[in-house]
Amino acid sequence: MAETIFPMLAVERALAIVLDQAAPLAPVRTPLAAARGRILAEAVNATTPLPPFPASVKDGYAVVAGDGPGLYPMIGAVTAGRVADFTVQPGTVAYITTGAPLPPGADAVVMVEETEMADAPDGDQRLVHIRVAVEPGADVRPIGFDVAVGQAVLPVGALLGAAELGLLATIGVAQVSVHPAPRVAILSSGDELVEAGKPLGPGQIYDSNRPTLIAAVEALGGVVVDLGIAGDSAEALTAAVERGLAEADILLTSGGVSMGDLDLIKPLLDRIGVVHFGRLRMKPGKPCTFATVERGGRQKLVFALPGNPVSSLVTFYLLGAPALRKLAGWRNPHLTRVQVCLSQPLRLDAYRPEYHRATVRWEPSLHEGRGGLLADSTGNQASSRLLSMRSANALLELPQGEGVLEAGTTVTALLIGDVA
Ligand code: AMP
Ligand code: MG
C-alpha cells in the first residue's frame, strides 16, 4: 500500500478524526495521593461543613460583644484542637487562639493587639483590658463559613491540582473517582537505530525519538510502556506492535511510514485495523499516520509518527497530546493557543502550513510598554534537526503562502511548554 493513496489531510481535519475516535477511559477510584493531574469523573459535594464549629479568626479573647470595652477577669483558655469546659458569662473573657472553637457564651473575639493584660488586685485571677467595642460575630468564622454542607465543591471534569486536592481533603474525602492516566506504548523502528550508550556500527545512528517521546508523554501525565527498538522486518514490527496494543491505550511508533521499500508500518496497520489517515498537509510531519485497532474489547489508538526527530515530536504534540488528554478525561483536550508577536521575519512555505518552532517569552516593551508575548524562532527548521526543538515552548501556526511575515506580525502559537 503506497503512501500516495492517502489524501493530504489538513491538520484540523486530522485532529477532529483523532478526537472522534478517542473516548475517556473508564473511571477508577483513586486515593488522593495518586490523583494529582487526573480528571474527576464524579461531582463532589461537601458532607461536612468547614469550619465544623464557630472558630476564632484571631489570637485574642473570646468575649460577650455586648459587654464593650473594660477590665474583665479571664476565666479560662481554649486553644486550637481543644474545647472549652466552661461558659463565658457576661462580664468575663477567655483566652483563645486562631482556629479554636468559640467557647459557649462568647459571641465575638477581640484580637490580642487590642487588649492588655492587667495586674489582678488579689494576685490569682488575671484581668484583661479590652480596649475596643466589637459587634457580635466579630473575628469568628461561623459553621460552614468556608464550605457549607451540600455545597458543590468540585464539578465533573475538574483537573485535580494542588487546590482541588486540598479541597477534597478539607471536606474529608480520601478517595475519588477519576479517569486513569492513559498507558502509552512507545516504539522506535529502523534497522539503523542504536540505543545511546552502545557503540555505533557503520550506517547506524542513535535512537532519539524514543527518549524524546517518553519524556513528552510523561510530562503530559501518560504512563509509558517502553517497547524498545524494532528493526525493519514485518516480524519484528508485528511483535512489538502487538505487545503495545496488548499493554497500552495508545501506541506511538516512529519511523517506517514514508515512501521507502522498508516502510512497513502502514501496511501492517491496514492489516490489523483501520487506517484513518496516512498523510497530513503540514510541515514538518507529512507522513504521519493514524489507525485504530480493536484489542481486548477496546479500541486502541495508533499514531505511526514520521522518523525524522522533529516531525515525530511535532506530530505527537499536534495529534497525540490532545488524544492522550481526551482519554485522560480532559473536557478541552486541545493545546493552549496564544497570540504572539514575531521578533524576526519568517518566510512562509508555498505548499504547506508550517508549525515553526519558537521560544515564546514575556517582553515588557511590547504593546506600548504594557508587555506581551514575543516569539523567537529556534533557527533552521529542518525536520531532522532536533536542535530546532531545543527550548521551544511553542509551535507557531504559519499559514501556507508566498513571501515573508515581517517582524512584529502577530501569529497564533500552540504552547507545548511553560512560558518563562
Ligand atoms: P523513516 O521514516 O523510517 O524513513 O525515517 C526518516 C528519518 O528519520 C531517517 O533519517 C531515519 O534514520 C530517522 N529516524 C527514524 N527513526 C529515528 C529515531 N528513532 N531516532 C532518530 N532518528 C530516526
Ligand atoms: Mg526507517
Side-chain angles (χ1 to χ4, degrees):
M1 184 175 57
E3 179 195 21
T4 41
I5 68 166
F6 289 102
M8 285 249 256
L9 232 57
V11 172
E12 299 73 41
R13 179 80 197 102
L15 181 55
I17 291 172
V18 166
L19 292 179
D20 204 43
Q21 297 295 324
L25 298 174
V28 291
R29 289 203 78 72
T30 308
L32 288 199
R36 187 178 64 83
R38 306 267 52 84
I39 299 289
L40 198 58
E42 62 184 354
V44 177
N45 297 341
T47 52
T48 52
L50 184 72
F53 46 81
S56 179
V57 177
K58 298 274 169 65
D59 295 321
Y61 292 91
V63 302
V64 178
D67 285 347
L71 201 59
Y72 299 101
M74 186 183 100
I75 51 121
V78 57
T79 52
R82 318 226 169 244
V83 285
D85 56 0
F86 54 83
T87 297
V88 177
Q89 305 289 353
T92 68
V93 301
Y95 179 71
I96 193 164
T97 62
T98 307
L102 198 67
D107 62 1
V109 170
V110 176
M111 64 176 169
V112 74
E113 293 89 331
E114 301 287 5
T115 70
E116 224 162 42
M117 289 297 290
D119 285 336
D122 58 6
D124 68 324
Q125 189 162 46
R126 301 210 287 175
L127 292 179
V128 182
H129 184 200
I130 302 291
R131 289 202 299 249
V132 293
V134 292
E135 296 292 320
D139 277 336
V140 176
R141 286 149 66 222
I143 291 171
F145 174 84
D146 298 309
V147 183
V149 171
Q151 187 170 349
V153 170
L154 291 175
V156 175
L159 172 62
L160 300 180
E164 292 73 21
L165 292 168
L167 274 168
L168 292 168
T170 206
I171 59 167
V173 171
Q175 291 210 327
V176 278
S177 174
V178 299
H179 297 284
R183 295 174 64 81
V184 184
I186 300 176
L187 174 71
S188 282
S189 75
D191 284 336
E192 75 278 33
L193 301 176
V194 176
E195 181 134 7
K198 297 193 176 145
L200 278 185
Q204 294 185 319
I205 59 167
Y206 287 118
D207 171 16
S208 65
N209 290 349
R210 205 159 37 98
T212 306
L213 292 168
I214 287 173
V217 165
E218 286 180 345
L220 286 163
V223 175
V224 168
V225 178
D226 186 350
L227 298 176
I229 298 169
D232 289 314
S233 80
E235 298 70 39
L237 283 173
T238 305
V241 162
E242 285 300 340
R243 192 187 142 205
L245 292 170
E247 294 184 25
D249 307 299
I250 296 176
L251 169 61
L252 304 178
T253 69
S254 69
V257 281
S258 312
M259 298 287 281
D261 286 349
L262 289 180
D263 289 333
L264 303 167
I265 296 271
K266 280 174 180 163
L268 164 59
L269 293 175
D270 194 46
R271 261 198 315 279
I272 62 174
V274 179
V275 178
H276 296 271
F277 55 82
R279 270 200 314 171
L280 295 179
R281 183 179 299 284
M282 68 173 282
K283 186 180 163 186
K286 189 171 70 166
C288 181
T289 297
F290 172 65
T292 48
V293 184
E294 274 304 294
R295 283 291 180 276
R298 301 243 315 281
Q299 167 149 291
K300 308 297 174 91
L301 309 182
V302 184
F303 295 88
L305 307 174
N308 266 313
V310 175
S311 309
S312 66
L313 187 55
V314 168
T315 49
F316 168 71
Y317 279 126
L318 291 177
L319 301 170
L324 194 156
R325 284 185 168 174
K326 181 134 188 230
L327 262 59
W330 287 53
R331 293 308 192 259
N332 172 10
H334 296 282
L335 296 174
T336 302
R337 274 193 163 83
V338 292
Q339 296 285 325
V340 300
C341 203
L342 298 181
S343 70
Q344 67 214 94
L346 293 182
R347 179 162 294 284
L348 297 177
D349 186 281
Y351 304 102
R352 286 177 287 164
E354 183 180 359
Y355 292 85
H356 192 108
R357 282 78 73 197
T359 306
V360 167
R361 63 188 161 87
W362 180 256
E363 173 49 53
S365 68
L366 281 183
H367 305 309
E368 287 99 36
R370 284 176 282 119
L373 296 176
L374 189 68
D376 298 316
S377 168
T378 53
N380 180 339
Q381 299 285 298
S383 62
S384 57
R385 187 175 169 268
L386 196 50
L387 279 169
S388 76
M389 292 297 298
R390 181 181 59 189
S391 304
N393 57 3
L395 301 173
L396 307 182
E397 291 186 305
L398 302 187
Q400 169 188 358
E402 301 289 338
V404 165
L405 293 182
E406 295 304 334
T409 306
T410 297
V411 300
T412 305
L414 288 163
L415 294 184
I416 57 171
D418 292 337
V419 174

